[in-house]
Amino acid sequence: MKTSKPVLLAVGIVAFLLIGAALYLQHVKNELPCPLCVMQRYAFITTGLICLVFAALPRGLTKLGASLGALAALTGAGIASWHLWVKAHPAISCGIDPLETSLNKIATAEWLPWLFKADGLCSTEYEPLLGLSTPQWSLIWFSIFALLLIWAALRQSR
């Protein structure tokens, strides 16, 4: 099997660049993350960590790393899809509810509140980026990651 390490490395780096973009939107543009945004951050970080760790491990583990990374990316795509559904149905809210309370009590939210504390409402409309909302961009990136990682996991030698 040819190595898929470049795919793992690229996905890992881009996932962390997207976390950087999220922090820019939060701290510079004052776009407060909602509980579903924070859950997407966890999914991006999980996907990125899996990919970077398995890119550093022996080649025999590349398929496992790509599979686990794809699972994390598909989980993120599911969260982003749910976020879009919530935004399309304004009567539904994920703001100050049990989800926010429980997310903000997780150890990572207490240790790194600047990254993992949910302060915003899911239904808040912020200025679109290149015509798309943040959860739409998240869904696109999670889908790209999932497709690349599934391809890397299934890739056969020629």
Side-chain angles (χ1 to χ4, degrees), residues 14 18 44 73 136-146:
V14 172
L18 291 169
F44 275 121
Q136 288 171 322
W137 279 114
S138 290
L139 179 57
I140 288 169
W141 279 108
F142 280 125
S143 299
I144 291 169
F145 291 167

Side-chain angles (χ1 to χ4, degrees), residues 26-60:
Q26 176 182 351
H27 295 290
V28 176
K29 295 288 195 172
N30 296 316
E31 296 184 11
L32 298 176
C34 70
L36 293 175
C37 295
V38 170
M39 290 174 66
Q40 289 169 72
R41 288 180 182 189
Y42 280 116
F44 275 121
I45 290 171
T46 301
T47 303
L49 280 176
I50 289 170
C51 290
L52 292 177
V53 166
F54 279 90
L57 293 176
R59 289 183 184 168

Side-chain angles (χ1 to χ4, degrees), residues 11-106:
V11 169
I13 290 170
V14 172
F16 281 100
L17 288 173
L18 291 169
I19 290 297
L23 291 173
Y24 171 80
L25 291 174
Q26 176 182 351
H27 295 290
V28 176
K29 295 288 195 172
N30 296 316
E31 296 184 11
L32 298 176
C34 70
L36 293 175
C37 295
V38 170
M39 290 174 66
Q40 289 169 72
R41 288 180 182 189
Y42 280 116
F44 275 121
I45 290 171
T46 301
T47 303
L49 280 176
I50 289 170
C51 290
L52 292 177
V53 166
F54 279 90
L57 293 176
R59 289 183 184 168
L61 296 172
T62 303
K63 184 174 182 175
L64 175 62
S67 299
L68 291 173
L71 183 61
L74 289 170
T75 300
I79 297 166
S81 297
W82 176 252
H83 193 170
L84 290 170
W85 190 87
V86 168
K87 288 180 80 62
H89 298 85
I92 306 294
S93 175
C94 70
I96 301 173
D97 61 10
L99 179 59
E100 180 178 332
T101 304
S102 60
L103 272 175
N104 287 340
K105 290 185 189 270
I106 295 174

